[in-house]
Amino acid sequence: MRDYYHIKINLPGGIASPGYLKDILSAAWNANVRKVRFGSRQQLLMTVHYEDMRFLESDFKNLGIFYEINTDRRPNIVSSYCGEEVFRTGQWLNATEYHSVLDSFDFEPGLKVNISDSNQSFTPFFTGNLNFISSPEPHFWYLYVRLKQTNTVFKWDDLIYTNEIGRLSKVVEECMLDEGLNDENALKAAVSERIRYVFQPSQQELELPSFSLPYYEGFNRYESRTWLGLYRRDEEFTIEFLLDVCTLCLNTRVGEICTTPWKSLVIKGIEDQYREAWSNILGKHNINVRHAANELAWQTEDHNGDGAELKNDLIRHFSKNDTRTFGLCFGIQTRPKSEVFGSVLIRKRPLLRIGQLPLFSVYDLYYTENFNPNSRALVPFEKGLFKIHLPAQLERLCRRFNNQRSRDTLKTMLSEPDEAKTAVKPVKTAHQCPDCMTIYDPEFGDILGDIPPGTAFEDLPADYCCPTCDNSKAVFTTVEFSRSSHLEPA
């Protein structure tokens, strides 16, 4: 028999009314639960001792609260509503539109559903099976489908009307889950036979914004009000604190509490006259709201102490070495087939087992294509690392990202007008290390490496390494330079 049970309660769209959340937390308190967490799909999580489960189940039954025990058959609907009004996008989406989408669901999806503003980068776009992304046309949405157990994403042919999202999702789910359709063309054909819905032809391709995780903690002004972001280093919130939060929301006309995919909370609509009351609650419970930005950019699996511990170890290394991580987010995956969101992915891989018990593990490092966390393509960086070697290799990967961003920025700044591009310009080719930016120019060779001038890059020994950072020849990238008295990008 289990000593503890993991309880999951879905909060559709990451939205909870203070009264509803207070009822859940009060029932949990009566079952001797003292801390809860929020999951990467914006759900509420708690761990309950088996002797107390009967009390919790009784209270949840009386309150009409749906929950799951040690399962995730009904993944929560994720939405970018938590950032609506907080991070300005200029999009047509508003609170009413989000609620219209959520109200269109008259069932609990068995597929992962994401509802996203196309102009934001705070919440993920493609971590769902059904990914609805706002289009430039008001009230219409792109749909990108990721088939079960695959990494393949394809675009639906039409733009979907807001009020039709729930109906369409139900039919698509029936075809995928009940009938096992796992082919793009077969799925589209089956759906079109079963449902008529309001749509609009898609006139242009989806353009996603470049990723930049906004700082989402502390008190922040917007319009005439304030929003408050709450993050906990151990990802746990005490029930006593959350009950005080719910009570203050109810007393100050704050109608919603939002959870985020970063396992944090956002409370919007705090009026100026109540700002001090909110500060007093934070002081009463000793809540810090000014963590470093690089600490906020991590996502770990739910119910996973190993991932949270590793995250804190790596953050301490970054802080000690003052590592720049701006523009990156990190995911830690310790279980196969689990999903985390990040432009850098750390995968724990068992190397030796005794039965099903891992005896010894190593770590593999990946980054997404162009370091965009919404990309489904993973690029391997280093594999088979011992835990002690992870921090240094991560720091090296951060340098590669910063160097790539610097090159892209410089290329944009130095881009020539169209008429200049038509002129034929003699260029020369060299190869550059992506981490330390050292250039191998065949005209000069490598004196320290005993490579004579005139040696082409292709003729370098297979074991040739960067003379500055020892990177292998294989990772060097091709760069072109104009023929002038000094090197400048062509």
Side-chain angles (χ1 to χ4, degrees), residues 48-307:
V48 186
H49 194 272
Y50 78 95
E51 292 182 348
D52 298 312
M53 269 302 300
R54 54 194 176 97
F55 302 111
L56 187 66
E57 289 183 299
S58 176
D59 285 345
F60 279 176
K61 182 178 180 180
N62 292 334
L63 292 168
I65 294 169
F66 175 81
Y67 60 96
E68 290 187 81
I69 304 176
N70 299 322
T71 62
D72 193 21
R73 295 190 183 95
R74 300 292 173 183
N76 195 36
I77 301 174
V78 166
S79 85
S80 56
Y81 179 77
C82 54
E84 191 268 331
E85 287 190 337
V86 172
F87 308 117
R88 295 297 183 178
T89 67
Q91 180 62 282
W92 49 264
L93 271 175
N94 54 36
T96 301
E97 199 80 23
Y98 279 105
H99 283 290
S100 295
V101 173
L102 295 173
D103 289 344
S104 72
F105 284 84
D106 59 0
F107 69 106
E108 287 245 22
L111 291 175
K112 294 178 179 178
V113 178
N114 287 22
I115 312 293
S116 301
D117 179 345
S118 62
N119 288 0
Q120 57 84 45
S121 60
F122 186 53
T123 60
F125 290 101
F126 301 116
T127 57
N129 301 112
L130 305 182
N131 303 281
F132 293 92
I133 303 171
S134 62
S135 78
E137 298 296 326
H139 316 299
F140 284 88
W141 303 72
Y142 294 104
L143 169 58
Y144 285 81
V145 178
R146 180 165 62 91
L147 299 172
K148 293 283 286 184
Q149 307 300 322
T150 75
N151 218 18
T152 304
V153 177
F154 65 85
K155 179 186 172 186
W156 208 252
D157 297 330
D158 311 309
L159 299 180
I160 316 301
Y161 183 58
T162 290
N163 293 347
E164 301 280 25
I165 287 178
R167 289 179 61 237
L168 180 63
S169 297
K170 189 172 186 177
V171 173
V172 174
E173 179 169 307
E174 289 171 354
C175 292
M176 288 178 65
L177 296 186
D178 298 343
E179 300 181 25
L181 293 180
N182 209 31
D183 173 78
E184 175 183 349
N185 294 328
L187 180 62
K188 288 179 177 178
V191 171
S192 65
E193 289 177 0
R194 300 179 190 207
I195 185 174
R196 292 179 177 272
Y197 55 89
V198 180
F199 68 90
Q200 182 173 307
S202 178
Q203 300 294 335
Q204 61 189 83
E205 292 300 313
L206 171 66
E207 292 184 15
L208 293 179
S210 58
F211 177 79
S212 177
L213 182 65
Y215 192 87
Y216 57 86
E217 197 185 22
F219 289 102
N220 299 270
R221 284 291 285 181
Y222 72 102
E223 293 185 349
S224 61
R225 298 190 177 190
T226 296
W227 63 269
L228 171 62
L230 296 169
Y231 159 84
R232 302 302 292 150
R233 183 167 283 164
D234 58 4
E235 301 176 355
E236 293 186 328
F237 292 81
T238 66
I239 287 185
E240 287 180 298
F241 169 64
L242 292 178
L243 285 172
D244 279 351
V245 166
C246 291
T247 299
L248 187 54
C249 284
L250 292 169
N251 292 338
T252 60
R253 300 188 298 276
V254 173
E256 295 170 331
I257 296 173
C258 297
T259 66
T260 82
W262 305 97
K263 306 188 178 184
S264 60
L265 295 178
V266 170
I267 299 163
K268 296 182 275 188
I270 297 174
E271 297 179 11
D272 290 346
Q273 59 185 316
Y274 302 119
R275 170 72 180 268
E276 185 176 354
W278 282 97
S279 294
N280 290 339
I281 279 188
L282 298 182
K284 173 184 175 182
H285 294 277
N286 194 31
I287 303 293
N288 176 28
V289 291
R290 284 299 170 194
H291 295 89
N294 66 5
E295 186 171 352
L296 304 179
W298 291 77
Q299 194 177 85
T300 60
E301 298 153 320
D302 299 332
H303 298 301
N304 192 298
D306 288 345

Side-chain angles (χ1 to χ4, degrees), residues 188-473:
K188 288 179 177 178
V191 171
S192 65
E193 289 177 0
R194 300 179 190 207
I195 185 174
R196 292 179 177 272
Y197 55 89
V198 180
F199 68 90
Q200 182 173 307
S202 178
Q203 300 294 335
Q204 61 189 83
E205 292 300 313
L206 171 66
E207 292 184 15
L208 293 179
S210 58
F211 177 79
S212 177
L213 182 65
Y215 192 87
Y216 57 86
E217 197 185 22
F219 289 102
N220 299 270
R221 284 291 285 181
Y222 72 102
E223 293 185 349
S224 61
R225 298 190 177 190
T226 296
W227 63 269
L228 171 62
L230 296 169
Y231 159 84
R232 302 302 292 150
R233 183 167 283 164
D234 58 4
E235 301 176 355
E236 293 186 328
F237 292 81
T238 66
I239 287 185
E240 287 180 298
F241 169 64
L242 292 178
L243 285 172
D244 279 351
V245 166
C246 291
T247 299
L248 187 54
C249 284
L250 292 169
N251 292 338
T252 60
R253 300 188 298 276
V254 173
E256 295 170 331
I257 296 173
C258 297
T259 66
T260 82
W262 305 97
K263 306 188 178 184
S264 60
L265 295 178
V266 170
I267 299 163
K268 296 182 275 188
I270 297 174
E271 297 179 11
D272 290 346
Q273 59 185 316
Y274 302 119
R275 170 72 180 268
E276 185 176 354
W278 282 97
S279 294
N280 290 339
I281 279 188
L282 298 182
K284 173 184 175 182
H285 294 277
N286 194 31
I287 303 293
N288 176 28
V289 291
R290 284 299 170 194
H291 295 89
N294 66 5
E295 186 171 352
L296 304 179
W298 291 77
Q299 194 177 85
T300 60
E301 298 153 320
D302 299 332
H303 298 301
N304 192 298
D306 288 345
E309 182 181 348
L310 178 59
K311 176 193 79 171
N312 289 329
D313 289 343
L314 295 171
I315 288 170
R316 280 192 290 270
H317 177 87
F318 283 173
S319 298
K320 180 180 178 182
N321 292 276
D322 201 20
T323 303
R324 178 176 172 80
T325 61
F326 178 76
L328 290 171
C329 60
F330 303 83
I332 297 178
Q333 185 185 58
T334 65
R335 297 189 295 257
K337 297 185 179 180
S338 69
E339 184 161 2
V340 290
F341 179 69
S343 47
V344 174
L345 180 63
I346 304 161
R347 279 183 177 167
K348 186 176 183 180
R349 173 164 52 92
L351 204 59
L352 296 174
R353 293 179 181 270
I354 298 180
Q356 294 298 315
L357 182 66
L359 183 64
F360 181 73
S361 297
V362 293
Y363 296 85
D364 301 330
L365 276 182
Y366 298 84
Y367 60 95
T368 54
E369 189 175 32
N370 296 322
F371 289 95
N372 185 336
N374 287 300
S375 170
R376 306 300 302 178
L378 289 177
V379 181
F381 182 68
E382 291 288 350
K383 290 189 173 184
L385 296 170
F386 296 137
K387 187 176 181 180
I388 193 173
H389 296 143
L390 258 182
Q393 293 303 318
L394 267 177
E395 194 165 0
R396 180 171 150 244
L397 184 52
C398 290
R399 286 199 302 271
R400 174 172 294 190
F401 166 72
N402 291 326
N403 290 337
Q404 176 177 309
R405 174 172 279 192
S406 297
R407 287 198 302 272
D408 293 343
T409 302
L410 183 62
K411 187 180 296 184
T412 301
M413 291 174 61
L414 296 177
S415 61
E416 298 173 284
D418 291 341
E419 58 270 18
K421 292 177 183 177
T422 60
V424 178
K425 200 179 208 180
V427 297
K428 62 185 296 186
T429 299
H431 291 78
Q432 188 173 47
C433 173
D435 294 342
C436 68
M437 309 296 281
T438 296
I439 289 176
Y440 176 80
D441 187 338
E443 182 177 341
F444 302 103
D446 181 357
I447 297 175
L448 296 178
D450 293 327
I451 305 296
T455 304
F457 184 80
E458 294 75 16
D459 296 333
L460 292 174
D463 59 354
Y464 177 79
C465 295
C466 172
T468 304
C469 70
D470 291 331
N471 247 341
S472 69
K473 170 187 174 183

